[in-house]
Amino acid sequence: MKTKAILAFVIAGAMSFTACTKKVDPKIVADVNQFGTDWTALGEKATNWSNELTATTTQAKEFVAKQTERMNSITSPKEEAVKTQLAASIQTATDNATKLEGMQSEFNTFKATWDETTKQFGEWKDKVMKGEVNPEEATKGLADFQSKMAASQAQVEGWNAQYAEIKTANEQNMASAETVVNPAESTPKK
């Protein structure tokens, strides 16, 4: 009799455990996993862009310092034209560095939001994979995350376009400044 009672409890427990375990729609699982992959790839792209942005900003600032030193070393009134050209180049580089720093600041704000959304997605995904979110809510939640990714993608692409423009202008400015010859530098040494 005890054996039958124990067996009945075991069967009832197994049945209730099976009833509590929800089957997760394989399509939702695939969609959520694909989103996770795409989200991670976009995050890596944004981080790589930020690293390049930082390097270009540093390069622009170093250029300003070098050209300022070069300009300040010009003392001859005959070299005023060179000094004027260098001053214009320095101003352009300073403006570019300021724009790049502004983009970096925007990225830092973006990154904080990105990290928070990544955390939310991870927590939400765990619930979906455990079957704690019904299919309708999972579809709605995924659509919300996809909207956030679309907005983030647009932001990153906008920054890329703006950055490419500034970087090109900065490189042209630096090349142009290098062609400005200080007469004192071009005088052959005897």
Side-chain angles (χ1 to χ4, degrees), residues 78-152:
K78 294 178 187 177
E79 300 171 24
E80 280 304 311
V82 171
K83 199 170 190 175
T84 301
Q85 288 175 319
L86 289 176
S89 180
I90 291 167
Q91 185 59 53
T92 299
T94 301
D95 292 346
N96 288 338
T98 300
K99 290 174 190 173
L100 294 169
E101 286 175 328
M103 291 172 69
Q104 187 66 55
S105 178
E106 289 176 18
F107 177 79
N108 292 341
T109 301
F110 168 87
K111 180 77 166 100
T113 302
W114 179 271
D115 290 345
E116 181 58 32
T117 303
T118 300
K119 179 181 175 229
Q120 291 169 356
F121 172 73
E123 292 167 355
W124 175 81
K125 179 182 175 182
D126 288 344
K127 290 179 182 179
V128 169
M129 296 305 174
K130 290 177 185 175
E132 296 174 4
V133 179
N134 70 46
E136 183 180 298
E137 288 299 313
T139 301
K140 182 182 178 296
L142 183 58
D144 289 343
F145 282 112
Q146 288 170 331
S147 292
K148 290 177 182 180
M149 185 164 72
S152 297

Side-chain angles (χ1 to χ4, degrees), residues 67-90 176-186:
Q67 295 305 316
T68 299
E69 182 180 319
R70 183 176 171 201
M71 183 181 72
N72 290 338
S73 71
I74 298 174
T75 56
S76 169
K78 294 178 187 177
E79 300 171 24
E80 280 304 311
V82 171
K83 199 170 190 175
T84 301
Q85 288 175 319
L86 289 176
S89 180
I90 291 167
S176 172
E178 291 303 316
T179 64
V180 175
V181 178
N182 181 338
E185 293 172 356
S186 64

Side-chain angles (χ1 to χ4, degrees), residues 20-32:
C20 290
T21 306
K22 298 178 182 177
K23 181 105 171 136
V24 181
D25 181 355
K27 179 172 177 1
I28 291 174
V29 169
D31 290 348
V32 168

